[in-house]
Amino acid sequence: MTPTALLDRPATRGAPLVDPFGRAISYLRVSVTDRCDFRCVYCMPEAMTFLPKAEVLSLEEIDRLASAFIRRGTRKLRLTGGEPLVRRGIIDLVRALGRHLRTGDLDELTLTSNGSQMVRHAEDLFAAGVRRVNISLDTLDPGKFADITRWGRLPQVLGGIAAASAAGLHVKINMVALAGVNDGEVEAMLAFCATHGHDLVLIETMPLGEIGVDRVDHYLPLSRVRADLETRWTLDDLPDNTGGPARYVRIRETGQRLGFITPLTHNFCESCNRVRLTATGQLYMCLGQDDVADLRSVVRTSDDDNALDAALTEAITRKPRGHDFVIDRRAAAPAVRRHMSVTGG
Ligand code: SAM
Ligand code: SF4
């Protein structure tokens, strides 16, 4: 992709996207690929079936869609997947999207990654305008890391995290809390993050997609993790300004920030400012609902940005009030059939 070709597209500002509940859409997450070089047990089965390439948006199509959202008030853009850094040409896309940072139309361009390819890409990401990345790391134990990710190896990811920091990227570590697997390791992860200056965010498992095992066995409510931490540390709640499911505290004794993403035990929907675009151009107005708007057909049938604008306006009128997640022994199937790697984490 030639970023200069993309600069030619006129950037006239459209009306902000506001949903029927008065929530302004200012945050877009884009899954740039459903593919991944890991097979985390809670995310996808080992023999995962990926989408045919023809169904996946081109980099130009992703750019066009993301830019349409930016014209309509998106201030923060997160690229995710699958593993975004395994997508060929990803740095070209990041560079192209970086133009919106320079014009001031976008506040932040960021990425969620498993860190496996970060050594190769960290400096280019920084040069393109990325300042913060989320990197997933559920354990510091090499054996457990290989068990959880199946195909991942801990030294590769630790190297990626170090490379990100060295390039000037602020790193937030995402740790999925898994009962009987890493519940004894929160303290060690906090110490690792304190040493290296990373933030830590703990994530509750979400019922997204068939994974071949029962999630209930490893479901660990973060309320329990928090209660355990509070027996040793003082956790001061920080004001919420993310509009998302993360709640932050500061550990008074160390000054460290710690986040909890608890979609199941905490209702964050009333302040939801985000929508998610899949690698095939399907717009999910809610992570926890199946309703979807097909934006790929719009970008593939028309070069007219007015038609795209109209499709965005229509989609946002369908944003639901909230989600209906539940992890329940009685529920035979996941609440939502698609995998996290489809909608993006
Ligand atoms: N591959 C990248 C990574 O692992 O960071 C980006 C995509 S991944 C789907 C985004 C985040 O979602 C990761 O932090 C991952 O641990 C988390 N995740 C995946 N499946 C999940 C599930 N079922 N419940 C909760 N978190 C999940
Ligand atoms: Fe890949 Fe991320 Fe899913 Fe793990 S959580 S399998 S790294 S997409």
Side-chain angles (χ1 to χ4, degrees), residues 162-182:
S165 287
L169 299 169
H170 181 78
V171 177
K172 194 181 278 182
I173 299 292
N174 281 356
M175 177 182 187
V176 174
L178 300 162
V181 180
N182 65 2

Side-chain angles (χ1 to χ4, degrees), residues 61-125:
E61 288 167 339
I62 295 175
D63 184 282
R64 185 174 165 211
L65 279 167
S67 301
F69 274 96
I70 292 166
R71 282 199 305 279
R72 303 290 303 274
T74 285
R75 304 292 311 175
K76 181 171 172 178
L77 185 59
R78 177 177 295 278
L79 304 183
T80 177
E83 173 47 39
L85 296 182
V86 302
R87 173 87 198 242
R88 190 180 303 225
I90 183 69
I91 296 298
D92 293 336
L93 175 67
V94 176
R95 280 194 196 112
L97 292 170
R99 73 190 183 280
H100 297 299
L101 295 165
R102 291 191 295 280
T103 58
D105 290 334
L106 191 63
D107 293 331
E108 185 169 47
L109 174 58
T110 181
L111 210 88
T112 302
S113 168
N114 65 22
S116 67
Q117 311 298 316
M118 197 54 90
V119 169
R120 253 183 334 131
H121 293 311
E123 288 183 0
D124 287 338
L125 291 173

